[in-house]
Amino acid sequence: MTHVRIYEVGPRDGLQNEKAVIAVDDKVALIKALVDAGLKDIEVGSFVSPKWVPQMADTDRVMAALDYTNDVNYATLVPNVKGWEGFVQASANLPRNAGEIAVFIAASEGFSKANLNCTVEESLSRLAPVVEAAQSAGVPVRGYVSCITDCPFDGPTPPEAVVRAVEGLRRLAPMPVSLGDTIGAGTPETVTRVIKAVAETMPISDVAGHFHDTGGRALDNVQASLELGVRVFDAAVGGLGGCPYAPGAPGNVATEAVVERVEALGYSTGLDHAALARAGVMARKLRG
């Protein structure tokens, strides 16, 4: 049976937009519940400006409280050199490598300017020293590309713009890349066009799908991606989250729903359904 890997983003992408402060102990308890469900890749926080994303200001404390005796990859988002410095400081005294870092750019200029206050090309230039430093330190890097089918500012995103963004990231390092339908406007048809275009420039084994369920098509987009050979999907337990810089994007596709769909299609995830359901209940209690 073919395995599909679920990359859990709930503790970071899911919680980053919550207004009420969530205690470190609650975040760590959620992460532990996800580990108990069998998830091996969990995004636990980000080193971004606490002024802009206050919910992630305690990522260093979350990292310090995690269990590093298991084989789980705890990932964090690192958008710039200052974020890299925060990651290095937070991981300095941990018993092993703290996991991988994720870097991100947009496929559309409008979203790049709204989210990063720079052009796509400028965002790549900002990331270059981060990726170089991570490679020198032996820290794995994962890339995100936002707005792969539609942008809240520019409208439909041409597949060639996504390809340019992916190629820009992979010029920095041969990293895996997660393709994000940030506002949930993608359809199986538009997602298929993008993945086919991207697959001409990088191995499909390094491609992940990251879908929001705004338009109710996330699971259909997962299925379309599976048919093209994608075997990694980002998801947020309980359907948590949404990007603060993407108007109208209420939440990521729920991990539970992705697991149910891919297993119904004959793939395996290796996850414990009952434990995942318990984590989902916990996640929903954390919502504002």
Side-chain angles (χ1 to χ4, degrees), residues 114-136:
N115 193 17
L116 300 169
N117 198 31
C118 65
T119 67
V120 174
E121 199 57 43
E122 287 168 344
S123 69
L124 285 165
S125 297
R126 291 181 185 181
L127 289 177
V130 175
V131 175
E132 183 178 359
Q135 287 191 296
S136 296

Side-chain angles (χ1 to χ4, degrees), residues 73 84 87-88 91 96-101 130-141:
N73 167 41
W84 169 254
F87 169 82
V88 169
S91 59
R96 69 161 174 83
N97 188 305
E100 71 185 4
I101 65 165
V130 175
V131 175
E132 183 178 359
Q135 287 191 296
S136 296
V139 175
V141 181

Side-chain angles (χ1 to χ4, degrees), residues 169-181:
L169 283 173
R170 286 175 60 87
R171 275 196 299 271
L172 301 179
M175 65 184 75
V177 178
S178 174
L179 302 176
D181 174 21

Side-chain angles (χ1 to χ4, degrees), residues 40-123:
K40 299 298 185 185
D41 298 277
I42 305 174
E43 200 174 49
V44 300
S46 60
F47 291 94
V48 295
S49 167
K51 175 183 176 184
W52 298 112
V53 191
Q55 195 61 257
M56 294 291 108
D58 54 13
T59 293
D60 57 339
R61 294 168 58 205
V62 171
M63 287 175 64
L66 297 176
D67 176 11
Y68 291 93
T69 63
N70 53 41
D71 59 349
V72 176
N73 167 41
Y74 298 119
T76 50
L77 194 71
V78 175
N80 50 36
V81 170
K82 185 166 185 172
W84 169 254
E85 292 168 352
F87 169 82
V88 169
Q89 185 174 355
S91 59
N93 297 316
L94 295 179
R96 69 161 174 83
N97 188 305
E100 71 185 4
I101 65 165
V103 296
F104 62 94
I105 62 171
S108 64
E109 295 293 345
F111 191 75
S112 185
K113 287 166 186 169
N115 193 17
L116 300 169
N117 198 31
C118 65
T119 67
V120 174
E121 199 57 43
E122 287 168 344
S123 69

